[in-house]
Amino acid sequence: MINPRDLTIKKIQDGLLSKKFSAFELAKEFFSVAEEKNKDINAYLSLDKDQALEAASKIDVKLASGENIGELAGVPLAVKDNILIKGLQATSASKILKGYKSPYDAEVITKLKSSGAVFVGKTNLDEFAMGSSTENSAYGVTRNPHDLERVPGGSSGGSAAAVAGHMAAGALGSDTGGSIREPASFSGVVGLKPTYGAVSRFGVAAMASSLDQIGPLSKTVEDAAILFKAIAGKDEKDSTTVDADYSGITDDPSLERVRGLTIGIPEEYFGEGLDGEVADEIEKAIDDLKSLKINFKKISLPHTKYALAVYYIIMPAEASTNLARYDGLRFSPPEEKNREGLLDLYIKNRSSGFGTEVKRRILLGTFVLSAGYYDAYYLKAQKVRSLIKEDFTEAFKEVDVILTPVAPTPAFKIGEKTKDPLKMYLSDIFTIPANLSGVPAISIPVRGRDGKLPVGFQLMGKHWREKDLLDIGRLYEKI
Ligand code: GLN
């Protein structure tokens, strides 16, 4: 019997090779869980059974003929609906893209397809990845599999819930200010935001181009390493990508090497606003890591207090520019038939096609970029961004990795923060600095929370040093 609940990507690899099950059987099992649970959880906006079963059968043929199957052969994955898969819908959870089908694959999808992955479906998100709870979707809220009254986090809430609910073995999300890590923390899964430039953004609906990264969500840190390896690498179609050496990234972690690392604890992340229960859980994670004889050191990242403000200038500035392409003409047929001229058409389409949060950010973004305010807001924010980056450069002279909370609280109730955007924005206070500075960061569930709401802790590393985060995480999981 195959039970998706017990399966990690690693176990799927082993099970297929040892012929415990076929890729087809595996896909069918995952679909039966996904179809059943999606009624309550709404993790998926679309399920793509036919093409998934066909892809799985092809893997079985290859297996039977002894052909070399890829690293992710037969692994059922969920993909956030702002990432393009050829022929499938890609709405970014927006009304303005209703019915849009992608004519091509995102680079990460091309890579996953060549590794043999099978796609279960496209997952829900906050519209254009703007939000922290998946409540800003035009297609309904996603519920947290650990407590259906609560949000799964966001914006990659559908992907996190799909993995947490055993409706996929792993998933892709995107992270501009925390959208992989915060839902991972709320939903009790692992979420990795890679170094800026490690993974191609070709084929992801751009939110804020200097901050966006695609990354994996998974049940274990080992699985995150496997998925990350499959999607990382230089891509001609995204000039920010770099050919970093990730060859040993999935190798077994060496305790001896990890003991040589020093983890920094920045005081700025443990002050006001941090929920007491979360603080206690982070302490537990630190104690567990100390039991592995890893060194710890207190550090300071003095400009942390400006990160949220800087983000809410740079992100809307870039997002308002990126979203200018959605005029209702190019990506979907115009909704509004009654119009007087082109401008009127744009206004009507954009007014009815975008939700409130997206409009708020377009307004904010065009304001901070407007002639009279550019210097005062946008330019100033860029300067402070440099200071925040320098904090990390300085800190990484003393330590190798930085440990912090992921979010100030565990998953909150559906509706609890929708009336107050500032409260919602505060959910990302600990995750945003990694995007502003481009460093890799991972959310790992604190152990021993069975029956309680999950809480994640965050590890941030030096640029291109995902291996440090993954190795520490893998050793932590085994304690
Ligand atoms: N929650 C943050 C925001 O709304 C981050 C979003 C993201 O990472 N895509 O901007």
Side-chain angles (χ1 to χ4, degrees):
M1 262 301 282
I2 309 167
N3 187 353
R5 179 174 288 273
D6 307 327
L7 288 175
T8 60
I9 294 176
K10 181 74 186 149
K11 285 185 184 162
I12 290 174
Q13 290 175 331
D14 298 343
L16 274 177
L17 286 177
S18 62
K19 303 220 161 39
K20 257 199 201 145
F21 43 75
S22 71
F24 188 79
E25 287 168 328
L26 185 74
K28 271 182 62 180
E29 280 309 316
F30 270 94
F31 270 98
S32 76
V33 176
E35 283 166 342
E36 184 51 35
K37 284 201 175 174
N38 206 45
K39 293 176 203 152
D40 292 330
I41 293 177
N42 194 33
Y44 287 102
L45 294 178
S46 59
L47 287 163
D48 300 292
K49 198 170 181 176
D50 292 346
Q51 59 89 31
L53 292 181
E54 197 188 315
S57 307
K58 283 189 184 151
I59 302 288
D60 287 332
V61 172
K62 277 193 183 172
L63 261 173
S65 65
E67 249 182 87
N68 207 351
I69 53 166
E71 273 248 50
L72 290 169
V75 175
L77 297 179
V79 177
K80 191 175 180 178
D81 207 30
N82 63 348
I83 299 171
L84 305 183
I85 302 182
K86 188 176 177 179
L88 302 187
Q89 72 156 49
T91 65
S92 285
S94 180
K95 222 179 115 191
I96 211 162
L97 286 174
K98 193 169 181 203
Y100 172 72
K101 285 199 171 150
S102 169
Y104 64 94
D105 282 327
E107 177 65 13
V108 287
I109 298 299
T110 305
K111 282 181 178 284
L112 290 178
K113 279 185 176 172
S114 70
S115 313
V118 168
F119 301 107
V120 182
K122 304 296 295 293
T123 57
N124 201 10
L125 62 149
D126 289 292
E127 185 178 2
F128 288 110
M130 297 179 187
S132 313
S133 65
T134 319
E135 291 168 292
N136 294 336
S137 166
Y139 305 106
V141 58
T142 296
R143 292 174 183 273
N144 190 320
H146 295 272
D147 177 349
L148 296 179
E149 299 300 308
R150 291 179 189 266
V151 302
S155 64
S156 311
S159 288
V163 177
H166 314 288
M167 305 155 83
L172 290 186
S174 65
D175 191 314
T176 303
S179 276
I180 290 175
R181 291 160 286 157
E182 186 248 21
S185 175
F186 282 13
S187 303
V189 300
V190 175
L192 171 70
K193 181 205 84 78
T195 307
Y196 185 79
V199 177
S200 170
R201 296 160 307 137
F202 177 76
V204 63
M207 178 179 163
S209 305
S210 77
L211 303 161
D212 299 343
Q213 269 297 285
I214 296 174
L217 293 113
S218 56
K219 288 188 192 169
T220 64
V221 180
E222 181 176 31
D223 282 1
I226 295 171
L227 283 174
F228 172 63
K229 188 177 182 191
I231 59 173
K234 185 165 174 58
D235 174 20
E236 302 277 290
K237 300 181 289 309
D238 177 353
S239 58
T240 63
T241 53
V242 168
D243 220 349
D245 180 14
Y246 287 125
S247 50
I249 197 95
T250 53
D251 293 355
D252 283 344
S254 140
L255 182 59
E256 203 186 322
R257 186 186 83 81
V258 165
R259 279 184 180 153
L261 300 175
T262 304
I263 300 182
I265 303 290
E267 52 178 342
E268 291 81 3
Y269 284 67
F270 292 84
E272 204 193 330
L274 180 62
D275 175 280
E277 191 183 355
V278 174
D280 290 347
E281 290 302 312
I282 305 299
E283 279 309 318
K284 269 198 229 156
I286 294 174
D287 285 345
D288 274 346
L289 288 168
K290 281 184 178 160
S291 76
L292 292 176
K293 300 205 167 64
I294 302 176
N295 305 310
F296 278 82
K297 186 170 186 181
K298 288 206 166 81
I299 57 164
S300 172
L301 297 164
H303 296 93
T304 303
K305 55 180 176 289
Y306 303 118
L308 195 65
V310 164
Y311 175 79
Y312 275 95
I313 291 173
I314 292 175
M315 174 274 298
E318 294 183 14
S320 68
T321 314
N322 277 325
L323 292 176
R325 70 188 60 154
Y326 304 106
D327 49 19
L329 279 174
R330 267 179 295 179
F331 297 98
S332 54
E335 284 270 311
E336 296 293 339
K337 307 288 179 212
N338 297 325
R339 70 253 182 175
E340 289 157 32
L342 189 61
L343 194 60
D344 189 48
L345 174 72
Y346 289 160
I347 292 171
K348 283 186 173 148
N349 273 319
R350 286 167 69 84
S351 301
S352 66
F354 288 138
T356 310
E357 185 59 33
V358 173
K359 286 178 190 159
R360 182 179 291 128
R361 297 194 192 197
I362 293 174
L363 288 171
L364 264 174
T366 40
F367 177 77
V368 299
L369 289 175
S370 58
Y373 297 99
Y374 183 90
D375 288 4
Y377 292 110
Y378 185 73
L379 206 63
K380 186 73 147 281
Q382 291 291 15
K383 288 180 181 164
V384 182
R385 181 179 185 173
S386 299
L387 295 175
I388 292 168
K389 275 191 201 163
E390 270 168 38
D391 279 359
F392 280 94
T393 310
E394 285 307 308
F396 283 131
K397 286 179 186 160
E398 289 180 62
V399 298
D400 304 282
V401 169
I402 296 171
L403 188 150
T404 72
V406 176
T409 64
F412 45 86
K413 287 243 165 81
I414 291 172
E416 196 179 317
K417 299 196 180 181
T418 40
K419 298 264 169 330
D420 186 345
L422 280 186
K423 257 197 197 154
M424 189 72 90
Y425 295 172
L426 281 166
S427 313
D428 304 300
I429 191 151
F430 303 136
T431 47
I432 280 171
N435 301 80
L436 290 172
S437 56
V439 300
I442 193 169
S443 173
I444 299 172
V446 174
R447 292 149 32 88
R449 298 274 304 166
D450 298 344
K452 294 190 231 150
L453 286 176
V455 170
F457 69 92
Q458 174 170 242
L459 298 174
M460 296 186 269
K462 298 177 181 171
H463 288 94
W464 321 112
R465 292 300 310 165
E466 278 82 355
K467 174 101 178 128
D468 294 339
L469 315 182
L470 294 164
D471 283 2
I472 295 172
R474 286 173 69 175
L475 291 168
Y476 170 79
E477 279 180 338
K478 286 205 202 107
I479 295 176

